[in-house]
Amino acid sequence: MPIDILMPALSPTMEEGKLAKWLKAEGDTVTAGDVIAEIETDKATMEVEAVDEGVLGKILVAEGTEGVKVNEKIAILLAEGEDASAADAAASAPAAKAEAPAPAAPAASAAAPVAAAPVASEPAEDPEVPAGTPMKASTVREALRDAMAEEMRRDGDVFVMGEEVAEYQGAYKITQGLLDEFGAKRVIDTPITEHGFAGLGVGAAMAGLKPIVEFMTFNFAMQAIDHIINSAAKTLYMSGGQMGAPIVFRGPNGAAARVGAQHSQDYASWYAHIPGLKVVQPWSAADAKGLLKAAIRDPNPVIFLENEILYGQSFEIPDVEDFVLPIGKAKIERTGSDVTLVSWGIGMTYTMKAADELAAMGISAEVINLRTIRPLDIDTVLASVRKTGRVVTVEEAYPMCSVSSEIAYQVQEKAFDYLDAPILRVTGKDVPMPYAANLEKLALPNVGEVIDAVKAVTYTA
Amino acid sequence: MGKRQLEMREMAATKRTSSGAGAKADSRSRGAGDNSAPAIADFSKEQELHAYREMLLIRRFEEKAGQLYGMGLIGGFCHLYIGQEAVVVGMQMAKKDGDQMITGYRDHGHMLAMDLDPKGVMAELTGRRGGLSKGKGGSMHMFSKEKHFYGGHGIVGAQVALGTGLGFSNKYRENGNVAMAFFGDGASNQGQVYESFNMAQLWKLPVVYVIENNKYGMGTSVERSSATTDLSQRGASFGIPGEQVDGMDVRAVLAASDRALEHCRSGKGPYILEMVTYRYRGHSMSDPAKYRSKDEVQKMRTEHDPIEQVRKRVLDANWATEEDLKAIDKDVRALVAESAEFAQNDPEPDVSELYTDILL
């Protein structure tokens, strides 16, 4: 019986990769542990080892092929005595399904779309990007790297420090190439001591340098939170305005995929609680680039909350010399008239898909991408609420004392008379993140929940 | 015992020339290896009189602060530096322009030693608009970029990592300055101290870690809180040299500070000075200090007082008369009285200050 060799997943979030190189040819004998191929993900190049013994019967994916999906059949391994015809037969069979069972999540999005007249819900122009600006594709990862590199070229006081940022090129490859360009003085690998290097960074900032402190994830920044809050955020006030800390704390935040409770938490509301901090949570590559450059230039401590799932996603960004976005300004991503969807960070992924499906159902959703959590651009939200009368917020964080809670409070306070329905929020569930695939899916929000919430506030069945 | 340890013992023995502040107060160095400077600096008349005046200013200032606290004019926490004056004054005499200081919450002495205006310090204690932080920081939170004083930090141990960052900035800028990070025996058990030691030695950062061992972390003695009580050796596993210093003798402090600052300035990385000292008052104003005997305190005051030691030497050497010293005392009292006067009459901050200085 020929054995299928499948495209392996090499990280928790990998969905596809490039088959860079075959190290064995058809007809070669393979023993378990032999390196048979090299695979490139957006983060690293990895070797693929054979698990079984046999003869490489047929290569199904040529080297150099990009975008090979995880679990796609890439070769056939023949057992002793089997011939090439068996390989051909195996190649035409479908790959074994190894997917998790579908969760019993509310699946409103799967409901038959109501035949509806087209509605006005369209991608909106970004007022920060003049019409006619040339655009290019960029992943969020590249945008973050480019933002740091540009600011480091511009200002010798800017440096980046953190675990694996230099020689390893970043645990998530965000700092790729920075060591080569800027050297070990400005791209600094730290020991695994979050509390210590966060404090060191704040001290350097008090002395006037402009550190970018990378946390491998914000989950680890809980070890450093005293320095972020007590040392960085409060010193300007406690010194009567004499001494602040121009520092950026950045790194992936929130859930990745299948990494369990201790590595899957969104800290936006924690930091947004603190006067003296700015909190930025970008979604697109343009958000990432424009806002990180602004954060590095900002004289205040800025918490910059990225998301691992978004790192590899590609967006159009302005192809201009110095693209900087203002901190504290939300962006209307889609205009609409029936309901206001407010989201930020990875919550935007569900929100934008929901807006598309809602449009097909005849519901016109206006989508606001907050971009910054603190200071909160409530005015943009209120202007939209006055138009639509309905609000749904979408985020992955826990519901209790969430950013959504704050938005709901401010909207009822400042636009109570404009509301035609209670404000609803779609959030992560109030549980530590489970590991099991089906439970994890249930713990996170989904497009169906967003659509259900919109139906509820628009009183449509 | 290895040869090297024997040598160090001998070296330590030759340094036991100070008057000492108790069993652990002899100046001795271990781990530094090449250390041959004397344990006690030979003070000139000018140095003695300078130290006398500076220490007396801190003493009188703190006594006045205690008095104002008792009158309800100073609120919250107030940690007095009385007894420990020689530590910061000796270091101040050794430092160069541009060297930074950062410390914890027992910070009034450091600010006065760094030449901050006593009026501004006292007005901050009373929470008035002329205070160094406009009345918004209080006793534990004052700063001066101009005078290279980086606080004033209320979280025990935080200043150690922050001070390491100051050292980092010196190395980054190649400005030849050294950061002095002061912390107590209590803070010396905080985890971030060792995270900082590791990075400072790894990257050869110019930081002097000054452990002001006043023998009690609040009400818990060093012996009851620390598995090892020779705090000068807390950097040993990182290879950071350290020495125990008689922190009641300003000459011993200066000599050790010279060695430490020179070590850091020459690019050899951090250095630890354990200043063995004593606080006469409680941990804070609300601490009756019942965890130690009155005799213990009295013995320190009469036998090891840092100011009395200088006074006696100056008089013995005929470098000043009683009258001369009284004149200094009068001068210092006038300065303190003026600061207290200012701190009581200066208005509270304007209410508009509530919402300023949160972000730039």
Side-chain angles (χ1 to χ4, degrees), chain A residues 156-159 161 185-186 188-191 193-197 199-200 202-204 206-209 226-227 230-231 235-243 275-276 278 299-300, chain B residues 100 132-134 136-137 141-145 149-150 153 155 158 161-162 164-166 168-169 171-174 192 195-196 198-199 202-203 205 353-360:
Chain A
D157 282 345
V158 178
F159 67 95
M161 68 190 302
K185 181 184 170 184
R186 298 179 66 194
I188 302 157
D189 279 326
T190 63
T193 53
E194 282 81 8
H195 194 187
F197 69 71
L200 189 153
V202 175
M206 286 174 172
L209 296 180
D226 175 60
H227 277 301
N230 272 318
S231 303
T235 298
L236 185 70
Y237 196 83
M238 295 192 304
S239 67
Q242 281 189 72
M243 195 179 289
K278 292 187 179 182
N300 300 288
Chain B
Q100 306 109 324
L132 284 174
S133 298
K134 301 186 199 164
K136 292 155 76 167
H141 313 115
M142 283 178 253
F143 308 80
S144 171
K145 214 162 211 175
F149 180 70
Y150 285 81
H153 294 271
I155 305 298
L162 296 169
T164 306
L166 297 175
F168 177 93
S169 72
K171 176 150 189 189
Y172 191 92
R173 292 191 160 133
E174 298 170 19
Q192 63 180 312
E195 299 187 23
S196 299
N198 181 49
M199 288 185 285
L202 182 67
W203 298 332
L205 304 181
E353 286 290 348
L354 181 63
Y355 286 106
T356 60
D357 305 321
I358 297 164
L359 292 170
L360 283 171

XYZ file of all heavy atoms in Angstrom, chain A residues 156-159 161 185-186 188-191 193-197 199-200 202-204 206-209 226-227 230-231 235-243 275-276 278 299-300, chain B residues 100 132-134 136-137 141-145 149-150 153 155 158 161-162 164-166 168-169 171-174 192 195-196 198-199 202-203 205 353-360:
678
model
N 18.775 57.973 15.083
C 19.782 57.101 15.689
C 19.477 56.711 17.119
O 20.108 55.803 17.662
N 18.532 57.408 17.760
C 18.167 57.059 19.135
C 17.186 55.894 19.206
O 16.879 55.399 20.288
C 17.535 58.272 19.844
C 18.585 59.284 20.285
O 19.783 58.925 20.306
O 18.221 60.432 20.597
N 16.659 55.482 18.042
C 15.700 54.365 18.029
C 16.472 53.047 17.977
O 17.364 52.880 17.139
C 14.743 54.467 16.820
C 13.785 53.266 16.808
C 13.969 55.778 16.848
N 16.152 52.138 18.880
C 16.741 50.798 18.825
C 15.674 49.778 19.190
O 14.636 50.127 19.755
C 17.967 50.686 19.741
C 17.670 50.787 21.212
C 17.485 49.655 21.984
C 17.594 52.019 21.845
C 17.219 49.731 23.351
C 17.326 52.116 23.207
C 17.141 50.976 23.953
N 14.892 45.974 21.016
C 15.422 44.924 21.866
C 14.324 43.924 22.214
O 13.151 44.271 22.243
C 16.020 45.509 23.147
C 15.037 46.129 24.099
S 15.857 47.034 25.446
C 16.843 45.744 26.140
N 24.487 46.866 17.999
C 24.287 47.937 18.980
C 22.818 48.357 19.040
O 22.313 48.743 20.085
C 25.155 49.142 18.604
C 25.023 50.289 19.582
C 25.811 51.512 19.151
C 25.445 52.701 20.032
N 26.101 53.941 19.609
N 22.142 48.287 17.887
C 20.768 48.806 17.831
C 19.714 47.710 17.676
O 18.515 48.005 17.693
C 20.652 49.824 16.687
C 21.570 51.024 16.889
C 21.461 51.997 15.743
N 20.136 52.606 15.683
C 19.695 53.287 14.636
N 20.457 53.437 13.567
N 18.499 53.826 14.652
N 19.038 44.258 19.525
C 19.652 43.629 20.696
C 18.865 42.420 21.170
O 17.704 42.527 21.570
C 19.753 44.661 21.845
C 20.577 45.868 21.368
C 20.360 44.030 23.090
C 20.301 47.128 22.138
N 19.518 41.263 21.116
C 18.941 40.055 21.707
C 19.030 40.152 23.221
O 20.118 40.353 23.760
C 19.737 38.823 21.254
C 19.334 38.360 19.864
O 18.152 38.492 19.506
O 20.211 37.860 19.133
N 17.917 39.970 23.903
C 17.936 40.008 25.364
C 17.865 38.592 25.916
O 17.405 37.685 25.241
C 16.712 40.759 25.917
O 15.536 40.042 25.551
C 16.634 42.166 25.386
N 18.305 38.429 27.164
C 17.986 37.177 27.855
C 16.467 37.092 28.076
O 15.756 38.077 27.869
C 18.717 37.300 29.192
C 19.432 38.601 29.185
C 19.035 39.380 27.999
N 14.111 37.656 30.134
C 13.871 38.356 31.402
C 12.980 39.555 31.129
O 13.445 40.692 31.129
C 15.194 38.837 32.032
O 15.913 39.595 31.049
C 16.070 37.719 32.493
N 11.690 39.291 30.916
C 10.778 40.364 30.494
C 10.748 41.530 31.484
O 10.761 42.695 31.085
C 9.356 39.823 30.312
C 9.126 39.069 29.015
C 9.603 37.626 29.063
O 9.980 37.163 30.168
O 9.600 36.964 28.001
N 10.670 41.198 32.771
C 10.589 42.265 33.769
C 11.845 43.138 33.693
O 11.762 44.362 33.662
C 10.443 41.640 35.151
C 10.019 42.596 36.217
N 9.969 42.243 37.538
C 9.630 43.873 36.168
C 9.571 43.280 38.248
N 9.348 44.278 37.445
N 12.985 42.471 33.622
C 14.254 43.203 33.605
C 14.436 44.039 32.355
O 14.766 45.229 32.437
N 14.196 43.459 31.177
C 14.501 44.274 29.986
C 13.426 45.328 29.714
O 13.712 46.341 29.092
C 14.867 43.431 28.756
C 13.785 42.610 28.098
C 12.768 43.212 27.375
C 13.836 41.223 28.131
C 11.795 42.448 26.730
C 12.869 40.449 27.491
C 11.844 41.069 26.794
N 12.108 47.058 32.173
C 12.579 48.124 33.055
C 13.803 48.818 32.494
O 13.914 50.043 32.526
N 14.703 48.035 31.942
C 15.901 48.616 31.323
C 15.497 49.540 30.184
O 16.020 50.654 30.051
C 16.808 47.484 30.827
C 18.214 47.857 30.341
C 19.169 46.681 30.509
C 18.222 48.304 28.883
N 12.666 51.174 29.827
C 12.052 52.396 30.348
C 13.132 53.339 30.890
O 13.073 54.553 30.665
C 11.011 52.067 31.444
C 10.459 53.351 32.061
C 9.866 51.250 30.859
N 14.130 52.788 31.563
C 15.227 53.623 32.057
C 15.954 54.310 30.915
O 16.274 55.507 30.994
N 16.201 53.563 29.839
C 16.872 54.154 28.678
C 16.001 55.246 28.062
O 16.498 56.281 27.599
C 17.195 53.073 27.651
N 13.796 57.108 29.717
C 13.843 58.266 30.610
C 15.085 59.106 30.327
O 15.080 60.322 30.485
C 13.860 57.809 32.071
C 12.522 57.301 32.559
S 12.710 56.618 34.222
C 10.988 56.333 34.632
N 16.153 58.411 29.917
C 17.394 59.118 29.593
C 17.366 59.675 28.171
O 18.345 60.264 27.725
C 18.588 58.181 29.766
N 16.266 59.481 27.452
C 16.098 60.140 26.158
C 16.211 59.256 24.933
O 15.971 59.712 23.819
N 16.580 57.976 25.108
C 16.598 57.083 23.943
C 15.152 56.674 23.607
O 14.232 56.941 24.365
C 17.461 55.847 24.224
C 18.955 56.121 24.462
C 19.705 54.819 24.736
C 19.582 56.847 23.273
N 4.529 45.746 35.626
C 4.815 46.797 36.617
C 5.598 47.936 35.980
O 5.286 49.109 36.200
C 5.591 46.225 37.807
C 5.999 47.343 38.762
O 5.097 48.023 39.269
O 7.206 47.559 38.960
N 6.606 47.607 35.188
C 7.389 48.676 34.565
C 6.583 49.417 33.502
O 6.761 50.617 33.301
C 8.685 48.123 33.969
C 9.767 47.999 34.994
N 10.231 49.082 35.714
C 10.460 46.940 35.454
C 11.161 48.683 36.552
N 11.312 47.381 36.424
N 3.703 51.249 36.167
C 4.214 52.113 37.238
C 5.398 52.960 36.815
O 5.562 54.087 37.286
C 4.589 51.260 38.448
C 3.413 51.058 39.382
O 2.665 52.004 39.645
N 3.216 49.851 39.846
N 6.267 52.419 35.945
C 7.453 53.192 35.563
C 7.222 54.003 34.294
O 7.541 55.187 34.249
C 8.660 52.265 35.356
O 8.915 51.507 36.516
N 5.337 58.149 35.093
C 6.453 59.038 35.463
C 6.243 60.476 34.991
O 6.584 61.412 35.716
C 7.783 58.468 34.939
O 7.989 57.202 35.559
C 8.948 59.371 35.290
N 5.673 60.657 33.818
C 5.478 62.026 33.340
C 4.630 62.824 34.334
O 4.956 63.960 34.690
C 4.818 62.023 31.954
C 4.693 63.404 31.315
C 6.056 63.944 30.917
C 3.763 63.360 30.097
N 3.571 62.201 34.802
C 2.677 62.867 35.753
C 3.374 63.081 37.093
O 3.352 64.174 37.663
C 1.426 62.025 35.946
C 0.272 62.764 36.586
C -0.572 63.561 35.827
C 0.019 62.653 37.949
C -1.629 64.248 36.401
C -1.039 63.327 38.543
C -1.871 64.127 37.765
O -2.919 64.794 38.344
N 4.037 62.030 37.584
C 4.672 62.110 38.904
C 5.835 63.092 38.928
O 6.262 63.520 39.991
C 5.200 60.727 39.332
C 4.123 59.695 39.542
S 4.754 58.204 40.358
C 6.072 57.712 39.271
N 6.377 63.392 37.734
C 7.508 64.321 37.696
C 7.041 65.729 37.342
O 7.858 66.600 37.068
C 8.553 63.843 36.674
O 8.036 63.935 35.360
N 5.727 65.932 37.326
C 5.219 67.251 36.979
C 5.585 67.641 35.553
O 5.808 68.804 35.261
N 5.663 66.654 34.667
C 5.917 66.928 33.255
C 7.383 66.974 32.866
O 7.721 67.226 31.707
N 8.278 66.708 33.836
C 9.719 66.828 33.534
C 10.287 65.666 32.742
O 11.216 65.817 31.980
C 10.511 66.854 34.840
C 10.526 68.150 35.559
C 11.526 68.034 36.696
O 12.722 68.000 36.479
N 11.028 67.956 37.895
N 9.780 64.472 33.006
C 10.457 63.291 32.497
C 9.429 62.254 32.062
O 8.602 61.828 32.854
C 11.318 62.701 33.614
C 12.343 61.706 33.144
S 13.290 61.109 34.549
C 14.270 62.548 34.979
N -4.221 55.661 32.416
C -3.836 56.989 31.930
C -2.318 57.068 31.806
O -1.599 56.549 32.664
C -4.352 57.930 33.035
C -4.527 57.082 34.251
C -4.814 55.692 33.762
N -1.850 57.693 30.743
C -0.405 57.787 30.527
C 0.090 56.820 29.473
O 1.255 56.877 29.092
N -0.677 55.089 25.515
C -1.469 55.012 24.297
C -1.512 53.544 23.893
O -0.529 52.827 24.085
C -0.847 55.856 23.183
C -0.926 57.356 23.466
C -0.466 58.175 22.275
C -0.598 59.662 22.594
N -0.191 60.502 21.430
N 6.127 60.775 21.778
C 6.961 60.951 22.985
C 6.424 60.210 24.201
O 7.029 60.288 25.276
C 6.919 62.465 23.214
C 5.630 62.907 22.607
C 5.361 61.990 21.441
N 5.331 59.495 24.047
C 4.714 58.792 25.178
C 4.929 57.282 25.050
O 5.215 56.785 23.973
C 3.204 59.073 25.187
C 2.912 60.552 25.314
O 3.109 61.138 26.368
N 2.490 61.170 24.209
N 24.513 59.711 36.699
C 23.117 59.769 37.150
C 22.921 59.021 38.467
O 23.649 58.081 38.769
C 22.183 59.131 36.107
C 22.311 59.682 34.710
C 22.968 58.679 33.762
O 23.854 57.933 34.138
N 22.523 58.696 32.516
N 8.958 70.042 43.418
C 9.724 69.634 42.228
C 8.842 68.952 41.192
O 9.128 68.987 40.005
C 10.854 68.684 42.634
C 12.051 69.358 43.296
C 13.028 68.307 43.788
C 12.736 70.309 42.324
N 7.769 68.308 41.625
C 6.839 67.676 40.680
C 5.496 68.398 40.683
O 4.458 67.796 40.442
C 6.639 66.201 41.038
O 7.863 65.491 40.948
N 5.536 69.699 40.993
C 4.328 70.544 41.048
C 3.329 70.021 42.078
O 2.122 70.210 41.943
C 3.622 70.600 39.694
C 4.450 71.140 38.544
C 3.525 71.247 37.325
C 4.285 71.327 36.032
N 3.409 71.045 34.875
N 2.558 66.905 42.439
C 1.836 65.737 41.920
C 2.583 64.420 42.156
O 2.071 63.353 41.811
C 1.568 65.934 40.429
C 0.570 67.053 40.193
C 0.707 67.690 38.830
C 0.130 66.831 37.748
N -0.014 67.590 36.476
N 3.800 64.510 42.701
C 4.580 63.284 42.897
C 4.595 62.839 44.348
O 4.332 61.697 44.662
N 8.302 60.433 44.767
C 8.379 60.605 43.314
C 8.829 62.007 42.932
O 8.010 62.890 42.685
C 7.016 60.323 42.671
C 6.380 59.062 43.161
N 5.214 59.047 43.869
C 6.766 57.764 43.054
C 4.888 57.792 44.180
N 5.826 56.998 43.702
N 10.132 62.177 42.892
C 10.687 63.449 42.403
C 11.817 63.159 41.442
O 12.506 62.144 41.572
C 11.181 64.296 43.561
C 10.064 64.985 44.317
S 10.678 65.949 45.719
C 10.148 64.939 47.074
N 12.017 64.071 40.482
C 12.944 63.831 39.378
C 13.587 65.144 38.959
O 13.010 66.212 39.138
C 12.180 63.275 38.157
C 11.319 62.081 38.466
C 10.063 62.240 39.057
C 11.758 60.803 38.173
C 9.265 61.142 39.347
C 10.968 59.696 38.454
C 9.723 59.871 39.039
N 14.758 65.078 38.377
C 15.343 66.255 37.743
C 16.299 65.818 36.654
O 17.386 65.325 36.933
C 16.091 67.117 38.765
O 16.812 68.126 38.070
N 15.848 65.990 35.417
C 16.701 65.651 34.288
C 17.951 66.534 34.312
O 19.058 66.064 34.061
C 15.932 65.864 32.978
C 16.308 64.856 31.917
C 15.268 64.800 30.820
C 15.228 63.399 30.250
N 14.198 63.171 29.265
N 18.995 63.400 38.170
C 18.365 62.588 39.222
C 17.082 61.976 38.652
O 16.150 62.687 38.281
C 18.058 63.429 40.466
C 17.416 62.606 41.546
C 18.140 61.650 42.240
C 16.062 62.759 41.842
C 17.544 60.859 43.213
C 15.460 61.972 42.820
C 16.208 61.025 43.505
N 17.040 60.662 38.588
C 15.968 59.958 37.864
C 14.947 59.310 38.803
O 14.319 58.317 38.484
C 16.597 58.929 36.899
C 17.190 59.613 35.695
C 18.458 60.196 35.754
C 16.475 59.725 34.505
C 18.989 60.872 34.665
C 17.006 60.398 33.410
C 18.260 60.968 33.499
O 18.769 61.640 32.417
N 11.419 56.209 43.278
C 10.482 55.213 42.762
C 9.871 54.432 43.911
O 10.576 53.989 44.819
C 11.195 54.273 41.792
C 11.645 54.992 40.559
N 10.861 55.139 39.453
C 12.785 55.684 40.299
C 11.502 55.873 38.547
N 12.671 56.217 39.043
N 8.116 51.554 43.863
C 7.981 50.103 43.780
C 9.348 49.484 44.097
O 10.324 49.733 43.389
C 7.509 49.671 42.376
C 6.212 50.381 41.993
C 7.350 48.149 42.328
C 5.024 50.094 42.886
N 12.247 48.455 41.484
C 12.050 48.950 40.110
C 13.234 49.796 39.650
O 13.648 49.743 38.490
C 10.757 49.764 40.018
N 16.270 48.001 37.704
C 16.162 47.800 36.252
C 16.211 49.138 35.521
O 16.876 49.268 34.480
C 14.872 47.052 35.927
N 15.551 50.139 36.074
C 15.553 51.461 35.431
C 16.967 52.038 35.412
O 17.414 52.596 34.403
C 14.606 52.418 36.174
C 13.123 52.022 36.156
C 12.335 52.886 37.139
C 12.541 52.169 34.755
N 19.674 50.387 35.406
C 20.439 49.625 34.417
C 20.191 50.209 33.024
O 21.102 50.271 32.192
C 20.048 48.138 34.495
O 20.204 47.702 35.850
C 20.918 47.275 33.600
N 18.974 50.676 32.802
C 18.650 51.353 31.542
C 19.388 52.674 31.389
O 19.789 53.048 30.283
N 19.589 53.374 32.505
C 20.391 54.610 32.443
C 21.821 54.258 32.034
O 22.432 54.936 31.201
C 20.391 55.321 33.799
C 19.034 55.815 34.325
C 19.197 56.388 35.731
C 18.445 56.864 33.395
N 22.673 51.687 30.327
C 22.586 51.302 28.912
C 22.663 52.549 28.031
O 23.381 52.564 27.018
C 21.274 50.559 28.670
C 21.035 50.169 27.239
C 21.415 48.919 26.769
C 20.426 51.052 26.351
C 21.209 48.569 25.442
C 20.207 50.712 25.026
C 20.599 49.463 24.570
N 21.940 53.588 28.417
C 21.932 54.810 27.583
C 23.330 55.442 27.563
O 23.753 55.970 26.533
C 20.883 55.810 28.082
O 21.292 56.411 29.294
N 26.174 53.836 27.725
C 27.012 53.040 26.828
C 26.612 53.284 25.369
O 27.463 53.419 24.496
C 26.888 51.553 27.180
C 27.654 50.689 26.210
C 28.181 49.414 26.803
C 29.108 48.794 25.778
N 29.537 47.472 26.115
N 25.293 53.357 25.120
C 24.773 53.589 23.761
C 25.316 54.914 23.219
O 25.706 55.014 22.075
C 23.248 53.618 23.829
C 22.527 53.587 22.493
C 22.128 52.380 21.930
C 22.208 54.760 21.813
C 21.443 52.331 20.724
C 21.521 54.727 20.607
C 21.142 53.508 20.067
O 20.463 53.481 18.865
N 25.332 55.916 24.087
C 25.761 57.249 23.660
C 27.272 57.451 23.797
O 27.790 58.497 23.411
C 25.039 58.310 24.476
C 23.574 58.357 24.163
C 22.925 59.580 24.763
N 21.682 59.865 24.082
C 20.532 60.144 24.704
N 20.502 60.193 26.014
N 19.460 60.392 24.003
N 27.941 56.488 24.405
C 29.387 56.569 24.613
C 29.786 57.888 25.265
O 30.718 58.560 24.835
C 30.111 56.374 23.265
C 29.832 55.005 22.649
C 30.345 54.881 21.214
O 31.206 55.680 20.815
O 29.864 53.973 20.505
N 13.951 41.123 39.857
C 14.448 41.977 38.778
C 15.863 42.496 39.052
O 16.545 42.917 38.114
C 13.496 43.133 38.495
C 13.304 44.111 39.622
C 12.329 45.223 39.202
O 12.460 45.803 38.140
N 11.336 45.490 40.030
N 17.871 39.927 37.267
C 17.714 40.093 35.821
C 18.591 41.256 35.361
O 19.230 41.207 34.305
C 16.247 40.367 35.469
C 15.304 39.237 35.864
C 13.877 39.442 35.361
O 13.683 40.177 34.378
O 12.957 38.859 35.954
N 18.622 42.293 36.164
C 19.414 43.480 35.823
C 20.912 43.187 35.916
O 21.682 43.576 35.031
C 19.058 44.640 36.758
O 17.696 44.964 36.627
N 22.406 40.447 35.496
C 22.787 39.604 34.359
C 23.010 40.432 33.104
O 24.040 40.316 32.432
C 21.705 38.547 34.134
C 22.042 37.614 32.989
O 23.149 37.079 32.915
N 21.109 37.421 32.082
N 22.054 41.278 32.791
C 22.191 42.084 31.563
C 23.329 43.090 31.680
O 24.064 43.329 30.720
C 20.874 42.804 31.259
C 19.796 41.858 30.769
S 18.263 42.700 30.274
C 17.587 43.114 31.876
N 26.520 41.158 31.257
C 26.552 40.613 29.893
C 26.946 41.692 28.888
O 27.745 41.458 27.989
C 25.165 40.062 29.559
C 24.932 39.401 28.210
C 25.718 38.100 28.115
C 23.433 39.122 28.006
N 26.388 42.886 29.080
C 26.614 43.977 28.123
C 27.624 45.011 28.632
O 27.799 46.053 28.027
C 25.277 44.658 27.791
C 24.297 43.711 27.136
C 24.587 42.618 26.361
C 22.868 43.763 27.199
N 23.431 42.004 25.941
C 22.357 42.677 26.433
C 21.954 44.626 27.827
C 20.984 42.439 26.286
C 20.586 44.383 27.669
C 20.120 43.304 26.909
N 27.592 47.177 31.160
C 26.977 48.499 31.314
C 27.584 49.230 32.511
O 27.844 48.621 33.553
C 25.462 48.352 31.510
C 24.735 47.592 30.406
C 23.227 47.540 30.705
C 24.978 48.227 29.036
N -4.252 71.547 37.132
C -3.110 70.617 37.025
C -3.533 69.146 37.110
O -2.760 68.254 36.801
C -2.083 70.905 38.117
C -1.271 72.159 37.900
C -0.279 72.041 36.744
O -0.050 70.924 36.253
O 0.249 73.085 36.334
N -4.771 68.915 37.544
C -5.256 67.532 37.638
C -5.078 66.802 36.310
O -4.699 65.638 36.271
C -6.730 67.533 38.057
C -7.392 66.164 38.217
C -6.733 65.344 39.321
C -8.884 66.343 38.519
N -5.371 67.505 35.220
C -5.386 66.850 33.908
C -4.180 67.205 33.034
O -4.228 67.023 31.837
C -6.684 67.185 33.174
C -7.875 66.447 33.748
C -8.825 67.101 34.528
C -8.024 65.076 33.525
C -9.902 66.420 35.067
C -9.100 64.383 34.052
C -10.038 65.056 34.829
O -11.099 64.372 35.350
N -3.124 67.726 33.612
C -1.924 68.006 32.806
C -0.865 66.932 33.057
O -0.948 66.181 34.028
C -1.311 69.380 33.158
O -0.945 69.361 34.540
C -2.304 70.502 32.912
N 0.110 66.859 32.182
C 1.283 65.970 32.328
C 0.923 64.479 32.295
O 1.633 63.650 32.855
C 2.053 66.269 33.641
C 2.466 67.725 33.743
O 2.854 68.290 32.708
O 2.380 68.290 34.847
N -0.194 64.157 31.650
C -0.545 62.732 31.501
C 0.092 62.184 30.226
O 0.677 61.115 30.216
C -2.075 62.558 31.493
C -2.650 63.014 32.829
C -2.434 61.087 31.240
C -4.131 63.249 32.822
N -0.027 62.978 29.157
C 0.641 62.633 27.898
C 1.327 63.880 27.374
O 0.904 64.991 27.657
C -0.375 62.157 26.859
C -1.075 60.812 27.101
C -2.213 60.634 26.120
C -0.094 59.652 26.987
N 2.385 63.675 26.607
C 3.020 64.812 25.934
C 2.334 65.054 24.606
O 1.828 64.115 23.988
C 4.495 64.513 25.715
C 5.386 64.652 26.947
C 6.776 64.105 26.647
C 5.490 66.114 27.375
